[in-house]
Amino acid sequence: MMDHQFGKVFFVGAGPGDPGLITVKGLELIKRGDVIVYDRLVNTELLQYAKKEAKRIYCGKSPNAPSVSQEEINEVIVREAQRGKTVIRLKGGDPAVFGRVGEEAEYCRNHQIVFEIVPGVTAGTAATAYAGIPLTHRELGSSFAVVAGQKRRDGKGKEINWKGLATAVDTLVFYMGVKNLPYIQEQLLLHGRAADTPVALIRWGTCENQETIVGSLSDIVERVKEAAFQSPAIIVVGDVVKLRKKLAWFEEENHRQTLLKEAIII
Ligand code: SAH
């Protein structure tokens, strides 16, 4: 088969939840795609913009249920492109932030499939912004890091440099870390982060059901347990969390809307 008969693959960031947070370029591509291969954390409202005849393929990996393997996903993408289709590989947040775009793009390259990567708004910046926690602030934080918070089940992957991380970066944002929160807390304390450092967990950030829980490095594990707080959530560690007291605009607005609706019903 000749190259030019192949379709192209676009890795597109769908944003963190609020469908309005996809890029203009990303949305245009959804409208053009012949095949949309989408993940679990993609807001499915975005799929309504796809062509009626576009093939929609769900490739979600659920933490608790049997799911599609990475190899199968790679194969689906390449197979569709080899058939000449324009493939939109839609990923939650930004495809290059814990989105495995590296592996999928490499697989495309190995099969002579051309691709583009369209970045998206990642959960770490978006959920925090909606929770009233700017990641940087002139007095409270001049650096931030995004960190994979889960422990890999296969024991592979790079172990986090906790010693460096605990004190060198002002604001830490952990993805996929809710289950592993006790270990994260332990490691940060062990390596010198102050016990009174504020911590927030934001669940379903930028969605209508966004929920936030705040504590300190010493008591956050207890609080999360009491509230039975679950993923998908990000964990933010650092003094910028203090800003939320004044800046929690989104949840306040949701609350106001709820009260308004109730008043109308009464
Ligand atoms: N590529 C995605 C991250 C995928 S890893 C991005 O850039 O956002 C999946 C993890 O992202 C979840 O375990 C959770 O920690 C985080 N996450 C994704 N969407 C989220 C949301 N709406 N609110 C809070 N955390 C979210």
Side-chain angles (χ1 to χ4, degrees), residues 103 148 150-161:
E103 291 159 63
Q150 97 279 37
K151 269 195 174 158
R152 281 184 61 157
R153 262 164 279 181
D154 57 10
K156 286 187 198 146
K158 252 181 120 186
E159 176 56 22
I160 290 164
N161 177 348

Side-chain angles (χ1 to χ4, degrees), residues 13-18 39-42 63 91-100 120-128 147 149-150 173-178 201-207 209-211 229-235:
D18 178 347
D39 271 358
R40 189 171 65 95
L41 290 176
V42 165
K91 287 168 173 282
D94 185 304
V97 180
F98 309 126
R100 302 185 76 154
V121 177
T122 189
T125 53
T128 45
V147 186
Q150 97 279 37
V173 185
F174 292 92
Y175 289 58
M176 307 169 284
V178 181
L201 275 82
I202 307 156
R203 177 167 198 257
W204 289 120
T206 78
C207 304
N209 52 344
Q210 172 176 312
E211 274 179 84
F229 202 87
Q230 288 184 355
S231 65
I234 52 148
I235 304 162

Side-chain angles (χ1 to χ4, degrees), residues 40 58-70 72-73 153:
R40 189 171 65 95
Y58 176 71
C59 269
K61 276 188 245 146
S62 165
N64 307 315
S67 46
V68 197
S69 74
Q70 187 61 49
E72 285 170 295
I73 298 173
R153 262 164 279 181

